[in-house]
């Protein structure tokens, strides 16, 4: 792993850190922008050096599946924005969630997760992890007693999204963190929708942040990526027998443990994520994508302000529209998440949210209605993504959350007429005019 101490200390303000953290000009050709190190592997000066690097006695580059200098800048930049002590960049958000949790829970162990998660994460926890002997109990994220009651002696992590996709429910991170810490396990937060600009989840007690960097961090819909950040708050050596993967002798660290090797200078947890899970399973982030993400992150605060402001205007418009039964946006005073948003999202609520069209009462007719509305949109695009510069629409029940059984969908607050929006950076008035025109279809259908 590259030595994180090679780089300048994180800049103190968010806007400076998002442009400068993690990169010191002066390497290679003195490029002021981090270059794309498009190389699979790195040359060793001697066999002795190679031997030390492979034995993790020294930090440095070996092979881009395990570490790459462009990826390292991305990792350090996101770690700086989240206030973390180390990060692992990976190929997608899905990979980030998977490796973050695999490094905590193994076969026979258990996770407690919010039931209001992104559908792909539910697939991972309720299907693939079950095949691997890792069980998850899903709870209503607003029921703090349910989180506490679900904890078992084998529980190794609590997991939730700071702002959920698609319904923009705001998690009481502090309360769930307290439950996790009473149980002696870390709270892992998927901070994709909020980004560290809207919520520095560490400030509310989270221990590990994960992101689909595919979304707002990249911001332009061009590059899949994920990142796991150790926020440095959870002491894995306090109960060494609970975390043998970090505290027991480990054959990849000859003569020692990951805590002994990395505990003083870096994150042993991130070292485990990289040297075992990314190394063995191979979901590595490419240098080219890391470069694209760094470009995106440079404007994160500007974009997030605009995304949030436009989304609130669009939500207010929808809230008064006769074709709309409900708007799930925590910036609206009537939303159950409004008070939580004041605490957890003081710079603005997220721009991914949903609304329900007025139902016809018949699921098949509802589907046809949603299809006609979406088909009538011209500026808002039907795309299975969020966090793009473009405004995107999706129908969760038949797209992102289509693998969930009807009861689970209902529990997650997703109906047949729920429509998700990810409000982009266009002129909000144009987005509203487009929605207004398309929604006229509903008025004709349901009167
Ligand atoms: C909240 C959240 N987490 C994780 C993911 C998975 O990320 P990716 O598509 O980059 O694998 C997504 C994707 O939509 C998401 O919305």
């Amino acid at each position: 792993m590259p030595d994180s101490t090679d780089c300048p200390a994180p800049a103190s303000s968010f806007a400076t850190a998002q442009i400068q953290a993690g990169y010191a000009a002066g390497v290679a050709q003195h490029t002021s922008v981090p270059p794309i190190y498009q190389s699979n592997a790195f040359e060793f000066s001697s066999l002795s050096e190679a031997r030390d690097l492979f034995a993790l006695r020294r930090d440095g580059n070996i092979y881009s599946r395990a570490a790459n200098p462009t990826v390292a800048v991305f990792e350090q930049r996101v770690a700086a924005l989240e206030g973390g002590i180390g990060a692992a960049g990976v190929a997608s958000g899905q990979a980030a969630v998977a490796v973050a949790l695999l490094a905590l829970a193994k076969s026979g162990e258990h996770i407690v997760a919010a039931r209001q998660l992104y559908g792909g994460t539910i697939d991972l926890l309720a299907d693939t992890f079950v095949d691997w002997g890792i069980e998850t109990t899903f709870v209503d994220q607003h029921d703090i007693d349910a989180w506490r009651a679900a904890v078992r002696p084998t529980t190794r992590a609590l997991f939730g999204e700071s702002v959920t996709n698609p319904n923009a429910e705001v998690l009481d991170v502090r309360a769930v963190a307290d439950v996790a810490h009473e149980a002696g396990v870390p709270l892992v937060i998927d901070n994709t929708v909020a980004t560290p600009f809207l919520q520095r989840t560490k400030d509310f007690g989270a221990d590990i942040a994960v992101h689909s960097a595919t979304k707002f961090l990249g911001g332009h819909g061009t590059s899949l990526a994920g990142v796991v950040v150790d926020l440095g708050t959870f002491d894995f050596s306090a109960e060494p027998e609970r975390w043998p993967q970090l505290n027991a002798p480990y054959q990849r660290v000859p003569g020692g443990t990951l805590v002994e090797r990395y505990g003083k200078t870096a994150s042993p947890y991130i070292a485990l994520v990289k040297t075992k899970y990314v190394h063995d399973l191979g979901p590595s982030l490419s240098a080219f994508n890391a470069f694209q993400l760094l470009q995106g992150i440079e404007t994160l605060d500007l974009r997030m302000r605009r995304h949030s402001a436009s989304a609130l205007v669009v939500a207010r418009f929808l809230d008064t529209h006769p074709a709309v039964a409900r708007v799930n946006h925590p910036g609206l005073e009537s939303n159950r998440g409004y008070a939580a948003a004041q605490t957890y999202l003081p710079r603005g609520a997220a721009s991914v949210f949903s609304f329900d069209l007025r139902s016809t009462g018949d699921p098949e007719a509802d589907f046809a209605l949603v299809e006609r509305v979406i088909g009538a949109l011209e500026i808002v695009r039907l795309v299975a993504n969020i966090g793009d510069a473009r405004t995107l629409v999706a129908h969760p029940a038949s797209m992102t959350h289509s693998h969930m059984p009807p009861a689970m969908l209902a529990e997650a607050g997703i109906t047949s007429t729920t429509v998700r929006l990810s409000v982009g950076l266009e002129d909000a008035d144009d987005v509203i005019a487009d929605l207004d025109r398309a929604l006229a279809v509903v008025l004709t259908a349901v009167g």
Side-chain angles (χ1 to χ4, degrees):
M1 293 206 316
D3 185 348
S4 55
T5 58
D6 285 349
C7 279
S12 53
S13 79
F14 193 96
T16 308
Q18 74 185 358
I19 294 168
Q20 298 200 0
Y23 185 59
V27 293
Q29 301 304 319
H30 299 263
T31 57
S32 62
V33 173
I36 305 172
Y37 285 97
Q38 192 72 13
S39 180
N40 288 349
F42 302 86
E43 196 172 319
F44 307 112
S45 59
S46 66
L47 184 56
S48 299
E49 187 199 28
R51 195 169 56 169
D52 283 350
L53 287 166
F54 272 88
L56 303 180
R57 275 191 293 274
R58 281 173 66 173
D59 294 320
N61 298 307
I62 299 175
Y63 188 65
S64 282
R65 170 152 46 78
N68 171 282
T70 313
V71 173
V73 180
F74 164 71
E75 292 169 340
Q76 288 167 32
R77 192 156 301 173
V78 179
L81 297 180
E82 286 283 16
I85 60 167
V90 288
S92 65
Q94 199 69 17
V97 175
V99 296
L101 293 174
L102 286 172
L104 298 172
K106 60 180 183 305
S107 177
E109 294 180 336
H110 173 251
I111 293 165
V112 186
R115 70 182 182 207
Q116 290 95 335
L117 298 177
Y118 160 65
T121 307
I122 296 205
D123 288 344
L124 174 73
L125 298 178
D127 187 356
T128 303
F129 270 23
V130 174
D131 294 345
W132 295 347
I134 303 166
E135 210 186 317
T136 300
T137 304
F138 292 97
V139 297
D140 175 4
Q141 70 175 32
H142 304 296
D143 185 346
I144 301 304
D145 290 337
W147 286 95
R148 192 172 289 110
V151 170
R152 306 174 185 171
T154 53
T155 301
R156 290 294 175 270
L158 269 52
F159 182 86
E161 293 171 10
S162 46
V163 179
T164 66
N165 170 8
N167 283 353
E169 294 183 41
V170 182
L171 184 68
D172 187 348
V173 178
R174 173 62 66 195
V176 181
D178 288 346
V179 175
H181 299 154
E182 278 163 30
V185 302
L187 173 62
V188 184
I189 288 292
D190 183 332
N191 205 21
T192 298
V193 172
T195 80
F197 181 70
L198 297 183
Q199 179 181 125
R200 220 168 77 152
T201 195
K202 175 183 177 171
D203 296 343
F204 301 104
D207 302 292
I208 293 161
V210 295
H211 287 270
S212 168
T214 313
K215 318 299 184 192
F216 294 99
L217 294 181
H220 297 81
T222 61
S223 310
L224 282 175
V227 59
V228 184
V229 187
D230 182 351
L231 301 173
T233 47
F234 191 81
D235 183 2
F236 286 100
S237 37
E239 286 188 272
E241 56 305 326
R242 187 175 288 194
W243 310 104
Q245 63 271 54
L246 294 163
N247 292 287
Y250 183 46
Q251 60 186 14
R252 300 186 200 191
V253 185
T257 70
L258 281 167
V259 165
E260 285 162 0
R261 169 66 181 86
Y262 293 104
K264 290 202 176 58
T265 55
S267 159
Y269 167 78
I270 292 296
L272 179 68
V273 166
K274 287 188 184 185
T275 61
K276 180 167 176 161
Y277 293 99
V278 180
H279 176 278
D280 291 8
L281 299 175
S284 314
L285 176 58
S286 74
F288 182 77
N289 278 11
F291 174 83
Q292 296 274 72
L293 295 163
L294 286 166
Q295 296 284 291
I297 290 172
E298 290 191 1
T299 55
L300 183 63
D301 61 348
L302 302 174
R303 290 185 291 104
M304 291 312 287
R305 280 187 208 283
R306 170 92 169 238
H307 277 298
S308 294
S310 295
L312 185 55
V313 175
V314 172
R316 288 205 172 112
F317 158 76
L318 290 169
D319 201 34
T320 58
H321 199 286
V324 174
R326 184 174 66 138
V327 182
N328 304 306
H329 187 290
L332 299 176
E333 289 76 358
S334 55
N335 187 270
R336 75 178 285 187
Y338 180 76
Q342 306 312 300
T343 304
Y344 288 108
L345 303 165
R347 288 169 151 170
S351 54
V352 176
F353 68 99
S354 65
F355 61 96
D356 292 359
L357 297 176
R358 274 172 60 197
S359 172
T360 61
D362 166 19
E364 282 305 312
D366 280 349
F367 178 79
L369 189 62
V370 174
E371 186 158 36
R372 282 177 62 203
V373 171
I374 289 178
L377 291 165
E378 288 173 5
I379 288 178
V380 180
R381 312 285 166 146
L382 177 61
V383 173
N385 197 14
I386 56 173
D388 195 314
R390 284 144 280 268
T391 298
L392 308 179
V393 66
H395 180 233
S398 60
M399 294 171 62
T400 49
H401 291 67
S402 57
H403 299 164
M404 284 164 61
M408 241 178 138
L409 274 179
E411 281 176 358
I414 297 169
T415 73
S416 53
T417 65
T418 300
V419 174
R420 181 185 75 189
L421 285 178
S422 174
V423 176
L425 302 176
E426 307 94 337
D427 189 322
D429 289 343
D430 291 339
V431 174
I432 288 173
D434 199 31
L435 287 165
D436 197 25
R437 216 175 16 74
L439 288 170
V441 169
V442 184
L443 297 179
T444 323
V446 293

